[in-house]
Amino acid sequence: MRITKTVGQYMFGAGTIGALGDVLQEPKKNGATGVVYFVDHFFNGSDLLDRLPVGADDHVIFVDTTDEPTTDGVDAYVDQVKQQMDGNVAAVVGVGGGATLDTSKAVSNLLNNPGKAADYQGWDLLPNPGVFKVGIPTLSGTGAEGSRTSVMMNQEKNLKLGMNSDYTVFDRLVLDPDLTASVPRDQYFYTGMDTYIHCIESLAGSYKHAMADAYSHQALSLCRDVFLSDDMQSQENREKLMIASYMGGSAIGNSFVGVVHPFSAGLSMVFHTHHCVGNCIVMNAMDDFYATEVKEFRQMMERQDIPLPENVCGNLTNAQWQDLYDSTVVHEKPLINALGDDFKSILTPDRVREIFARM
Ligand code: NAD
Ligand code: ZN
C-alpha cells in the first residue's frame, strides 16, 4: 500500500494571483487574522506587491535568495514572525522559486511545532501540522510547490537535508504563469531542467511504480515541448513548464531521485553551487549512467543556447576531493535507488573523483 499526500487545492491560469484574497478567507475562519508573506527579494519594489491582498494585520518579509535556505536562517524568520505577529498567523504565503517556497513551508511548520528547523531535518519527524500554507511559484522546475519536503543547509552539521513530512505539503497553490515571465533565460533553463532530471532519475530507479512513472512521463513530455521549441519562455511554454514542475514534484514525492542529485549536493556542500545549475553541471558528466538522456539534455541546451559553468573542480586540494566524495555518497537512498545496495563498489573514491573532474 502507498499513501500519498498531495496539495489540497490549486488554482491555475494566467491572472490567478487575483484569487489569493478569496483563498485566504478560509484559514481566517479559525480566529487568527494575520497573513505572513515570504516574497523573493527580486520582487521588492515591483508591482507584484500591489497584487497581493496585504492587510493591516499582515507582514511581508523579503527572502534574500542569493544563497539557498539554511536552518539558522529559517529559525531567524520564525523568531521574527513570532515577534511581529504575536501568534496571530492564519496563513503563511510563499511567493518565489524553490528557495522561497521551501522557506515558507518550513516556517509554517515551525510556528506550530516546538524546537528548531534542524530538529526536523529527516523523515516524518513533525508532531503537529503547520499553519495553513499557500504556495505561489514564480519560477518553475524544482517541484517544491508540490513536494513534501523543504530543503535546508545545516551549516553546523555540514548537511543539506529536507524537512520531509506530509505536513510540509502546501494546502493551496496559486499557479499563475504570468509570474514567471521575468525569469532570466539561464535561470529559467537550469531550474526547468530540475524537473527533467527528477523524472529521468525516478524512471531509471528501482523504486519506480505506476503512479510516479505516470507523473514522470507526462512531465518529461511537457519538458520536451518546452525545451526543444524555439521560444522556451512563450506564454504557452511557461504554462506547460509550470504544470511539468508540479508533476515532477509529485513524481519525486512518490519515488526517489538517482545519481545526479547526490553529485549535485556534493557541489553544493563544497562550492555552494545552487541546486539547479549544479544539477545541470552534473548531468553533463553523467554519460555512464544516463547516456540517452544526457544526449537529449545537450540537445536542449544547444537549442536554447544556454552556457554551463566549466572546470568547476579544477585545482582542488585532497581535503576538498574527500569532502566532495563524502557529501556525495552520504545520499544513500537515491544512490541505492539508482545503483543498488552495493553502490559504493560502483562509486569508488577514484570513480567519483574522475566524474567530478569532467565537470
Ligand atoms: P531560487 O528560489 O533559488 O531562485 C533563483 C533566482 O531566481 C533568485 O535569484 C530569484 O531572485 C530569482 N527569481 C525567482 N523568481 C523570479 C522571477 N519571476 N523573475 C526574476 N527572477 C526570479 O531558485 P529555484 O531554482 O526555484 O530553487 C532552488 C531551491 O529549491 C534550492 O534551495 C533547492 O534546494 C530547492 N529545491 C526544493 C525542492 C523541494 O521539493 N522542496 C526540490 C528541488 C529543489
Ligand atoms: Zn532537484
Side-chain angles (χ1 to χ4, degrees), residues 40-43 65 68-69 97-100 102 105 138-139 142 144 147 149 151 160 179-180 182-184 187 191 194 198 275-276:
D40 187 291
H41 64 164
F42 170 82
F43 296 105
T65 49
E68 296 191 338
T100 307
D102 277 359
K105 294 203 275 187
T138 65
L139 175 56
T142 65
S147 74
T149 190
V151 184
K160 188 178 181 184
L179 304 185
T180 62
S182 53
V183 178
Q187 184 72 58
T191 298
D194 199 22
H198 287 156
H275 181 80
C276 298

Side-chain angles (χ1 to χ4, degrees), residues 206-222:
S206 59
Y207 287 93
K208 70 204 293 294
H209 55 86
M211 174 70 86
D213 291 3
Y215 278 125
S216 293
H217 283 303
Q218 190 56 44
L220 279 179
S221 155
L222 290 165

Side-chain angles (χ1 to χ4, degrees), residues 17-307:
I17 192 153
L20 182 60
D22 292 341
V23 171
L24 292 172
Q25 289 313 309
E26 187 188 335
K28 289 183 186 175
K29 285 181 189 149
N30 299 329
T33 53
V35 176
V36 56
Y37 292 88
F38 285 94
V39 181
D40 187 291
H41 64 164
F42 170 82
F43 296 105
N44 195 348
S46 82
D47 59 5
L48 174 73
L49 293 181
D50 303 331
R51 302 172 69 193
L52 300 176
V54 181
D57 294 344
D58 303 344
H59 279 275
V60 177
I61 297 176
F62 291 104
V63 180
D64 184 342
T65 49
T66 312
D67 294 315
E68 296 191 338
T70 62
T71 47
D72 289 344
V74 165
D75 289 335
Y77 285 130
V78 173
D79 289 344
Q80 184 182 348
V81 172
K82 283 184 176 166
Q83 227 170 41
Q84 290 180 328
M85 302 188 64
D86 196 22
N88 183 28
V89 189
V92 174
V93 180
V95 187
T100 307
L101 297 178
D102 277 359
T103 299
S104 65
K105 294 203 275 187
V107 171
S108 147
N109 285 341
L110 288 165
L111 287 173
N112 278 355
N113 285 283
K116 303 266 186 197
D119 301 337
Y120 300 109
Q121 281 183 299
W123 279 265
D124 305 306
L125 301 172
L126 291 158
N128 309 310
V131 171
F132 190 91
K133 33 180 147 332
V134 183
I136 309 183
T138 65
L139 175 56
S140 300
T142 65
E145 66 277 24
S147 74
R148 68 192 293 281
T149 190
S150 156
V151 184
M152 292 167 288
M153 304 274 276
N154 184 328
Q155 282 151 328
E156 211 175 302
K157 293 190 192 158
N158 200 27
L159 180 78
K160 188 178 181 184
L161 186 61
M163 189 187 278
N164 296 269
S165 163
D166 281 354
Y167 298 142
T168 306
V169 179
F170 279 113
D171 295 287
R172 298 287 180 269
L173 286 181
V174 175
L175 299 174
D176 185 340
D178 281 354
L179 304 185
T180 62
S182 53
V183 178
R185 276 182 63 76
D186 291 2
Q187 184 72 58
Y188 182 89
F189 181 87
Y190 299 144
T191 298
M193 271 301 141
D194 199 22
T195 295
Y196 180 88
I197 293 169
H198 287 156
C199 295
I200 62 119
E201 286 182 295
S202 173
L203 286 169
S206 59
Y207 287 93
K208 70 204 293 294
H209 55 86
M211 174 70 86
D213 291 3
Y215 278 125
S216 293
H217 283 303
Q218 190 56 44
L220 279 179
S221 155
L222 290 165
C223 285
R224 290 185 178 114
D225 284 357
V226 172
F227 293 111
L228 293 173
S229 76
D230 289 337
D231 179 6
M232 64 177 179
Q233 277 180 289
S234 69
Q235 162 89 15
E236 188 190 355
N237 281 335
R238 280 186 284 106
E239 264 187 30
K240 284 185 176 178
L241 194 61
M242 195 161 252
I243 296 303
S245 174
Y246 176 71
M247 291 188 147
S250 304
I252 223 61
N254 277 285
S255 62
F256 286 105
V257 286
V259 187
V260 181
H261 274 74
F263 275 82
S264 176
L267 292 179
S268 171
M269 287 316 300
V270 177
F271 305 117
H272 300 284
T273 311
H274 283 205
H275 181 80
C276 298
V277 68
N279 283 349
C280 290
I281 293 168
V282 172
M283 188 65 187
N284 201 31
M286 284 281 117
D287 306 71
D288 300 358
F289 302 101
Y290 304 107
T292 313
E293 295 81 1
V294 171
K295 266 191 208 138
E296 186 170 54
F297 164 77
R298 289 186 187 131
Q299 201 187 341
M300 290 170 168
M301 212 165 53
E302 220 167 88
R303 184 66 166 260
Q304 303 305 333
D305 195 20
I306 300 293

